[in-house]
């Protein structure tokens, strides 16, 4: 787990990204290390309690070696660990109610369903094998969007109450797993590590009795859930969504002269860069001619500069404009609002790695990497059919697009584009 975090940071430094995102793995690492260190400390304490030289002059230490003490201590550790994980949900709920449009703006006005269109546009949506099915699913989710938002926000903000009953804790943890699986099926965002951790929590709790946790353990779980953010890393997944989205991607030029969109999974450990759109951008330092969203249409996840305060002076106002694809963009956008020198060494390094892996004795495909967002192969058939030797050049594109559904199909309208220079591959 520690190596995984180290590897992520090395990838971030090499790629030049401002950050690479820790939400998909950091909570699992911290909770795992916390529980492991806690159990080791408990075992050491019990071992020392049995050594007379350490306990002969100290009162009331004999009970440290008993099973009752161990059971109570393990209960406290377990609920504290669950509280550290539940803090991700609680802080995500807090992030939603503290958005600049007011505490009810996310529930009543946010187009949460648009993440399905964004996932399809990025080539990550599992339902994308049938465009009509995705379109109908989008319409269905949009119809129940406000009640769905209410249920999700209530579960996040009130998750600390689940510690009062073991069955509540099991039920809510299972609900969060179902929510993550649903998000993946609808959009393609896969919180695999969170799903694994939730499954382990349910498995651990089902092996305990209803009244096996002390009041101290219960209070500990509640306190860590609410205030654990001061110690643990907690994801704050709260932002506005949009149908007007800024998306960046690479295209590959084949020997036949065709430009083919590169599947983000091709970049393996750096694939998060292409989905999170943190690749060499300068938009956090100056205004952008594109719409100020992430590749998933997220608004407010970071402090970006709107084009002008006359256009929008808050994330809430940006959301209201982009929800209707009404945010004004530039035509054309010059100069590029990303570091134009970054794409070349990055894509050439990735290409060389892919070529070396393709020629290795044991070739492991890029789809086997545990991506946070998988590129669905059926949405990238043209690129999936290519080998590194078939590619002669690349280019980097940034689009502002308007996504919608009409006549059972997803409509992707390009509003403006920044087209990078051709990057030739050395054969």
């Amino acid at each position: 787990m520690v190596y995984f975090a180290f590897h992520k940071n090395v990838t971030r430094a090499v790629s030049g990204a401002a950050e690479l995102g820790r939400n998909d793995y950091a909570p699992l690492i911290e909770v795992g290390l916390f529980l492991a260190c806690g159990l080791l400390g408990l075992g050491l304490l019990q071992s020392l309690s049995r050594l007379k030289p350490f306990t002969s002059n100290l009162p009331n230490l004999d009970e440290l070696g008993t099973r009752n003490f161990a059971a109570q201590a393990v209960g406290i550790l377990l609920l504290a660990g669950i509280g550290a994980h539940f803090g991700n949900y609680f802080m995500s709920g807090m992030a939603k109610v503290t958005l600049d449009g007011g505490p009810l703006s996310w529930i009543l006005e946010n187009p949460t369903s648009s993440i399905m269109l964004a996932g399809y546009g990025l080539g990550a949506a599992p339902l994308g094998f049938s465009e009509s099915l995705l379109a109908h699913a989008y319409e269905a989710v949009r119809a129940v969007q406000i009640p769905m938002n209410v249920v999700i926000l209530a579960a996040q903000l009130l998750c600390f109450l689940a510690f009062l009953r073991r069955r509540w804790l099991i039920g809510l943890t299972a609900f969060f797993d179902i929510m993550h699986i649903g998000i993946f099926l609808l959009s393609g965002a896969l919180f695999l590590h969170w799903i694994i951790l939730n499954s382990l929590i349910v498995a651990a709790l089902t092996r305990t009795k209803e009244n096996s946790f002390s009041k101290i353990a219960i209070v500990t779980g509640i306190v860590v859930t609410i205030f654990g953010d001061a110690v643990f890393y907690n994801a704050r997944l709260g932002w506005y969504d949009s149908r007007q989205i800024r998306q960046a991607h690479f295209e590959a030029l084949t020997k036949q002269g065709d430009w083919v969109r590169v599947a983000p999974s091709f970049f393996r450990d750096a694939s998060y860069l292409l989905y999170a759109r943190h690749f060499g951008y300068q938009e956090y330092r100056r205004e952008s001619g594109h719409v100020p969203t992430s590749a998933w249409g997220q608004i407010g996840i970071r402090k970006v500069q709107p084009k002008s305060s006359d256009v929008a002076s808050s994330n809430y106002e940006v959301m209201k404009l982009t929800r209707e694809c009404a945010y004004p963009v530039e035509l054309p956008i010059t100069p590029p609002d990303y570091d134009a020198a970054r794409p070349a060494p990055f894509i050439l390094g990735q290409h060389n790695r892919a070529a070396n892996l393709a020629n290795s004795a044991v070739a492991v495909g890029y789809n086997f990497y545990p991506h946070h967002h998988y590129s669905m192969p059926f949405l990238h058939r043209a690129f999936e059919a290519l080998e590194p030797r078939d590619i002669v050049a690349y280019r980097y594109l940034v689009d502002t697009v308007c996504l919608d559904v009409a006549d059972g199909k997803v409509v992707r309208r390009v509003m403006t584009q920044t087209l990078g220079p051709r990057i030739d591959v050395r054969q």
Side-chain angles (χ1 to χ4, degrees), residues 183-200:
I183 290 173
F184 169 68
L185 293 176
L186 294 176
S187 70
L190 178 60
F191 281 82
L192 178 62
H193 303 95
W194 290 38
I195 293 173
I196 292 173
L197 181 55
N198 283 334
S199 300
L200 292 174

Side-chain angles (χ1 to χ4, degrees), residues 112-123 125 134-135 138 142 186-187 242-243 245 247 295-296 402-405 409-411:
T112 311
S113 57
S114 63
I115 192 175
M116 299 172 62
L117 303 181
Y120 180 78
L122 290 167
L134 178 73
Y138 167 74
R142 189 171 63 170
L186 294 176
S187 70
S242 171
R243 289 193 303 110
I245 301 174
Q247 295 182 337
W296 287 86
C402 176
L403 302 175
D404 203 354
V405 166
K409 294 183 178 180
V410 178
V411 179

